[in-house]
Amino acid sequence: MSSEQNGGSPSRSAAPPEAPRTLAEDLRARDDSALAALLRARPDLLSPVPGDLTQLATRAGTRSSVVRALEHLDQFTLQTAEALAVAPGALPPSGAGPQESRPAVKEALARLLPGEEAAERLPHALAELRARALVWGPEEQPRLVRTAKELLTSPSPTGLGPTLVEAVAAAGSAKPSPSRLQETLARVGLPGTHDPVSALSALTALFSDPERMAALLAEAPEGAEAVLRKLEWGPPYGAVDLEAPSPPVGWLLDRALLVPTGAEPTGSGGGAGAGTGQSPPGSVVLPREVALHLRGGRAHRVLEPTAPPLAVTRMYDPATVDATAAGQALTAVATVEELLGYWESEPPSVLRAGGLGVRDLKRTAVALDLPEPAAAFWIELAYVAGLVASDGEVDEAYAPTPAYDEWLRAAPAERWATLAMAWYAATRTAGLVGGGSLPVTGVPPLVGVPTSERSREWGRSREWTDARGRGLAPLGPGLDRSPAPEVRQRALVLLAESAPGSAPERGTVRERLRWERPLLGNRAAARAAGQATGQAMGQAAGQGEADGGQGLRARLLDWALDEAETLGVTGRGALASYARPLLAAGRADGPHTRGPHDADAADATRAAVAKALAPHLPEPLSEVLLQADLTAVAPGPLERDLSAFLSVLADVESKGGATVYRFTPGSVRRALDTGCTAADLHAFLAEHSGTPVPQPLTYLIDDVARKHGQVRVGAASSYVRCDDDALLAEILADRRSAPLRLRKLAPTVLASAAPPDQLLGRLREMGYAPAAESAEGDVLLARPDAHRTPPRTAPEPVPEGPPAPDAALLTAAVRAIRAGDHAALLPHKPKPPAAPPPAGGLPRTVMAETLATMQSATLSGTPVWIGYVNADGAASQRVIAPVKVEGGFVTAYDHTADEVRTYPLHRITGVAEVAEG
């Protein structure tokens, strides 16, 4: 097989062709900046770095890589690719020689994509396709790579079917005989031909001529054109009775305006089976040329050359937006602190399959006074920020990490910046928790899904459940959705591009995102539904809006905007000014950039966001307002130490712009259990009260302190000890103590079969203030244990493909590819090897000849061409200048790597001298 046939290129000694004949030749003619732009746009081509441009071209044409590239096209660029896939003359006709004899593809594109706006945007769309190596060739004859053409025509998103030639070739048993083709020519008024190929060419020319085609359809019987119109915009397949067709259908079949498929009729419409290796779902197909005539030459029913505008629903003062968002940012920081403060004393257990159980989620939601979906969002946010993780113990539980303590010591603005950055780049999607059973308001219905099925789709689909059909758990597996960061980023960038203080209508944001990334989410939805096979992935790339990608993308967008409002990134639907540094860093580097300075860039972004937010946050207060009804009002955020101790001394009664605390006997006892005395509590309140301490509160503290510790509980199983025998008699006589099965051992001691903790709790419920004591009689302080996990790192996002390369990696990769291509194309002296290698393979010589050639090259200082297999079994070819051959190794300057390297001789497959000149 020649190098031209397998994607390579001819040697440099051959005369350069007028136009590139392969994608590799096209890439070879591009400069380094164009190659760097290609690798930046398609980072999967760098894993690993291709050895030369032929390998790069081969990899750029693989199915998985092309699918990824198509996902990053906007709607019009994708429509241009779809039109190019069905354009007449996209491939040169058989036997075509000179360039002038080929049909003008660019002119055909202009007819398929009509309109002034489309004509203005078409050069940019073709340039984008060419930059991503989806299109190559001369400017007037752009060619779509073969894999992209297959993906975009099986079936075509335009609704066009196969050409007449393709339809007849695929007809199988229904394929018309040569005599039948001659009869067809006669019926349409064409002269006979000598073979079926020329007959089909004549029919194709007729169907492509608008005037002759109009004259032919004018002769059609009544109802014939209506049959064609049903298939005009697709699907192009239909079911008819071929044994006894109706007169209109028979007329169309006799003139090849409908072509039998050879398949059993399975119903009308639907082209899902086309191109999948199965029989198409119909007995006839509408040839592409006929459909284009009916459409007036248009490839798409709705052409979208420009992005839909954003409609602004409300305009707010930017200061109002920032104030609203900053208030929510403070709430976000306080909620995460409250969540992890609760979990450090009562860590929830980890499910056997991973994740948080339903009961623990409900318990946490009650503790935070939030709905369960909101609690799941804060739990996931703390997890992606690295503040909570599993402790890894035998009885595994979730608890704060050591990073939580560092986070607590930071300023409020820095704490919020940490949360916002983690949320911005996270692929974990809290909205999936519980199976996604709650519909998102405002989400458009799925295209092509019947109403009865649509209701089930929005109930609980396979995308939102695990393999057993159960709802997904917080902190569990299955919550990663790779398109989430890009949807989140694009949504916020669209808000940033609007005027400050403007709140765009959500439906227009959804439409804009659909236009910018029409295929985004298709593969993720297919993979989540368990359909991520190669064929399903291909259908996901080709069908666009016809599958679950639209539903996933719409939900991701709604969740992103809701979470941005909850977190404080937006206020009243408009972007906060202090969030713009976060978006600027995302636009510059992308959400997942590969490079050595990621940590430094993240720190710089965090500092910039915190600096922008700090002026919008109120200063923490050191005082509260004590009231006579045993409440305290904090009119703003409190200093952390004050807030922590006040939460022990009082119960939070309500939250909002101001937090209301209520003092109760139980809360005061809780503070005394930590080792504080009544005098300590009085001093604390006097120091942090903006008003005199109310007398009722002073009485409450003194009364609880006087009773506190009079009754002692120890382990007997348990016992109650008190110096006041009258109080013990009162407890013993109380009917509520019956479950404790108390009995009197001495005038001052009662024994119980209940454990000490149950005994303590029961006595407190009865209105007493018991204190626990040790075996030595000392009071046990009831400070809650702050449970921590070992050091844990935050979970890494799970992007769809490799991260975007940085400039240094791109420069090195382009240099390596150029050097490898130079080595591959460098002519070498023909030398008959011991075993002739396959065409384009590595040189092969026996060891004695390899050693002799190496030694000779070392003495003469001439470069040689070698084949080399590394320790991983990867083969490559290199041009080296040997310096020393010794001990079974050759030390040489490697022109491919541009450095001195040492190679084991036994890994060199063969050697050949480089031709002079």
Side-chain angles (χ1 to χ4, degrees):
M1 181 181 291
S2 67
S3 60
E4 289 86 349
Q5 289 172 320
N6 62 19
S9 67
S11 68
R12 294 190 175 183
S13 60
E18 296 181 1
R21 292 172 293 175
T22 64
L23 177 59
E25 289 183 5
D26 188 278
L27 295 177
R28 194 166 288 119
R30 303 186 186 187
D31 56 23
D32 288 355
S33 61
L35 290 181
L38 168 62
L39 297 176
R40 184 183 299 108
R42 298 176 64 176
D44 58 295
L45 301 180
L46 278 174
S47 300
V49 176
D52 53 38
L53 287 171
T54 301
Q55 290 186 18
L56 177 62
T58 302
R59 193 176 299 170
T62 59
R63 191 179 189 88
S64 60
S65 182
V66 171
V67 169
R68 285 194 179 97
L70 291 175
E71 278 191 350
H72 289 82
L73 302 180
D74 62 50
Q75 179 70 2
F76 182 71
T77 306
L78 181 62
Q79 287 183 330
T80 302
E82 293 167 354
L84 189 56
V86 299
L91 291 176
S94 178
Q99 184 72 20
E100 293 78 9
S101 65
R102 301 182 183 181
V105 178
K106 204 166 184 180
E107 295 178 5
L109 276 179
R111 293 191 297 270
L112 291 169
L113 305 171
E116 294 183 2
E117 291 183 339
E120 183 179 348
R121 280 270 302 161
L122 183 58
H124 178 272
L126 288 173
E128 179 69 15
L129 292 171
R130 190 179 298 274
R132 294 180 181 271
L134 294 172
V135 162
W136 60 279
E139 290 292 332
E140 295 301 320
Q141 297 288 342
R143 297 181 61 181
L144 199 64
V145 295
R146 188 174 301 275
T147 307
K149 180 179 175 66
E150 293 172 355
L151 289 171
L152 296 176
T153 55
S154 56
S156 172
T158 62
L160 292 170
T163 64
L164 176 63
V165 174
E166 294 169 343
V168 171
S173 60
K175 184 176 181 179
S177 62
S179 59
R180 178 67 182 272
L181 287 176
Q182 298 303 316
E183 295 174 3
T184 301
L185 290 175
R187 290 190 182 99
V188 297
L190 294 176
T193 62
H194 60 280
D195 58 32
V197 175
S198 56
L200 291 174
S201 297
L203 288 172
T204 299
L206 170 64
F207 295 163
S208 302
D209 188 332
E211 294 183 1
R212 290 196 292 165
M213 190 65 176
L216 176 62
L217 291 179
E219 302 173 359
E222 183 179 356
E225 187 172 351
V227 173
L228 296 180
R229 293 294 179 185
K230 289 182 179 180
L231 307 178
E232 175 183 358
W233 292 104
Y237 295 94
V240 298
D241 186 358
L242 294 176
E243 298 296 331
S246 62
V249 172
W251 188 89
L252 295 172
L253 290 170
D254 290 340
R255 288 153 182 79
L257 297 173
L258 289 179
V259 178
T261 63
E264 293 294 331
T266 57
S268 61
T276 64
Q278 302 173 355
S279 297
S283 55
V284 294
V285 61
L286 181 67
R288 184 183 302 168
E289 296 86 355
V290 179
L292 285 174
H293 172 78
L294 296 173
R295 298 181 181 191
R298 300 173 61 92
H300 300 84
R301 174 178 286 183
V302 178
L303 191 61
E304 300 179 83
T306 58
L310 295 181
V312 177
T313 56
R314 295 288 299 274
M315 287 291 299
Y316 300 98
D317 181 15
T320 302
V321 171
D322 289 344
T324 303
Q328 194 59 39
L330 270 180
T331 302
V333 172
T335 303
V336 172
E337 184 176 349
E338 183 181 1
L339 165 68
L340 299 185
Y342 173 61
W343 277 15
E344 71 179 357
S345 58
E346 299 183 29
S349 58
V350 180
L351 295 176
R352 182 181 303 175
L356 188 70
V358 175
R359 292 182 180 179
D360 287 319
L361 176 61
K362 291 182 178 179
R363 192 178 299 114
T364 302
V366 170
L368 298 178
D369 193 21
L370 292 172
E372 291 177 30
F377 167 69
W378 295 116
I379 292 170
E380 282 291 333
L381 179 61
Y383 177 62
V384 298
L387 305 181
V388 67
S390 168
D391 59 8
E393 301 292 338
V394 176
D395 295 328
E396 201 171 6
Y398 291 110
T401 64
Y404 171 62
D405 298 314
E406 299 179 8
W407 182 78
L408 285 177
R409 289 191 289 268
E414 295 176 359
R415 284 190 271 169
W416 184 86
T418 299
L419 298 177
M421 289 185 63
W423 168 79
Y424 189 64
T427 55
R428 292 186 65 84
T429 308
L432 297 172
V433 170
S437 56
L438 296 178
V440 179
T441 58
V443 178
L446 292 178
V447 174
V449 179
T451 305
S452 59
E453 297 182 9
R454 195 177 298 155
S455 59
R456 292 196 298 270
E457 174 70 24
W458 290 125
R460 172 174 292 185
S461 76
R462 293 175 60 190
E463 297 177 22
W464 325 121
T465 57
D466 60 14
R468 298 183 179 180
R470 299 174 301 186
L472 301 176
L475 305 181
L479 292 181
D480 284 292
R481 292 295 181 271
S482 53
E486 184 171 359
V487 171
R488 200 177 292 129
Q489 178 182 355
R490 288 304 308 158
L492 297 184
V493 167
L494 290 176
L495 297 184
E497 292 174 353
S498 304
S502 60
E505 199 273 322
R506 183 170 293 194
T508 61
V509 176
R510 187 181 300 114
E511 279 300 302
R512 181 67 169 269
L513 181 62
R514 179 201 58 80
W515 187 90
E516 291 185 351
R517 294 291 186 270
L519 298 183
L520 181 64
N522 286 3
R523 286 187 300 133
R527 183 167 49 252
Q531 301 170 351
T533 63
Q535 188 59 51
M537 305 298 272
Q539 291 179 354
Q543 291 176 2
E545 300 298 323
D547 62 359
Q550 181 194 17
L552 175 62
R553 185 176 61 247
R555 287 199 170 194
L556 288 176
L557 175 62
D558 285 320
W559 288 331
L561 294 177
D562 291 341
E563 292 168 0
E565 192 77 15
T566 302
L567 187 57
V569 177
T570 60
R572 301 190 179 185
L575 185 70
S577 62
Y578 56 79
R580 292 181 183 270
L582 180 66
L583 308 188
R587 284 196 296 268
D589 303 326
H592 306 291
T593 302
R594 172 171 54 190
H597 307 296
D598 291 353
D600 295 339
D603 291 340
T605 301
R606 185 181 296 106
V609 173
K611 182 179 179 181
L613 172 62
H616 300 282
L617 298 181
E619 289 294 328
L621 302 177
S622 59
E623 293 183 344
V624 294
L625 303 178
L626 298 179
Q627 303 186 101
D629 61 348
L630 298 180
T631 60
V633 178
L638 299 177
E639 294 179 348
R640 183 176 175 275
D641 293 339
L642 171 59
S643 175
F645 188 76
L646 192 59
S647 298
V648 176
L649 181 58
D651 297 324
V652 177
E653 191 170 74
S654 65
K655 303 175 184 177
T659 304
V660 178
Y661 297 85
R662 177 164 296 279
F663 299 93
T664 64
S667 67
V668 173
R669 177 204 48 78
R670 190 168 61 230
L672 295 174
D673 284 345
T674 64
C676 295
T677 63
D680 295 334
L681 301 184
H682 288 311
F684 171 81
L685 293 175
E687 178 183 357
H688 295 288
S689 175
T691 57
V693 179
Q695 195 174 44
L697 180 56
T698 302
Y699 287 164
L700 174 65
I701 294 174
D702 290 340
D703 185 51
V704 174
R706 183 169 54 255
K707 299 177 181 179
H708 185 264
Q710 280 188 315
V711 177
R712 304 290 183 89
V713 174
S717 288
S718 59
Y719 63 85
V720 180
R721 183 174 65 85
C722 180
D723 295 335
D724 186 353
D725 55 354
L727 182 57
L728 284 185
E730 178 184 341
I731 293 174
L732 191 60
D734 195 324
R735 293 183 178 180
R736 293 175 295 174
S737 67
L740 300 175
R741 292 180 293 172
L742 296 171
R743 63 185 187 279
K744 195 170 186 179
L745 299 182
T748 58
V749 179
L750 297 178
S752 173
D757 55 343
Q758 295 184 11
L759 182 56
L760 274 170
R762 188 66 177 179
L763 291 177
R764 287 168 180 168
E765 291 176 3
M766 294 168 60
Y768 301 98
E773 70 175 13
S774 65
E776 291 77 19
D778 300 325
V779 175
L780 296 176
L781 301 181
R783 292 192 180 96
D785 294 329
H787 188 50
R788 292 290 184 271
T789 69
R792 295 280 192 268
T793 57
E796 290 291 333
V798 184
E800 183 62 40
D806 63 0
L809 178 58
L810 286 175
T811 302
V814 171
R815 183 177 181 182
I817 293 172
R818 288 288 191 195
D821 199 57
H822 173 73
L825 297 180
L826 194 64
H828 54 278
K829 291 181 180 179
K831 194 169 187 178
L842 300 177
R844 296 190 179 276
T845 55
V846 296
M847 180 58 69
E849 187 176 354
T850 299
L851 182 60
T853 305
M854 287 292 184
Q855 291 172 339
S856 175
T858 302
L859 295 176
S860 62
T862 57
V864 294
W865 179 61
I866 68 169
Y868 181 73
V869 179
N870 64 15
D872 296 326
S876 61
Q877 46 190 345
R878 302 171 180 273
V879 175
I880 66 173
V883 177
K884 180 176 61 175
V885 180
E886 183 179 63
F889 292 88
V890 56
T891 302
Y893 176 77
D894 190 331
H895 291 272
T896 306
D898 197 19
E899 64 181 5
V900 176
R901 290 185 173 180
T902 300
Y903 298 99
L905 283 172
H906 69 275
R907 293 194 180 278
I908 297 177
T909 63
V911 61
E913 296 180 3
V914 176
E916 297 179 1

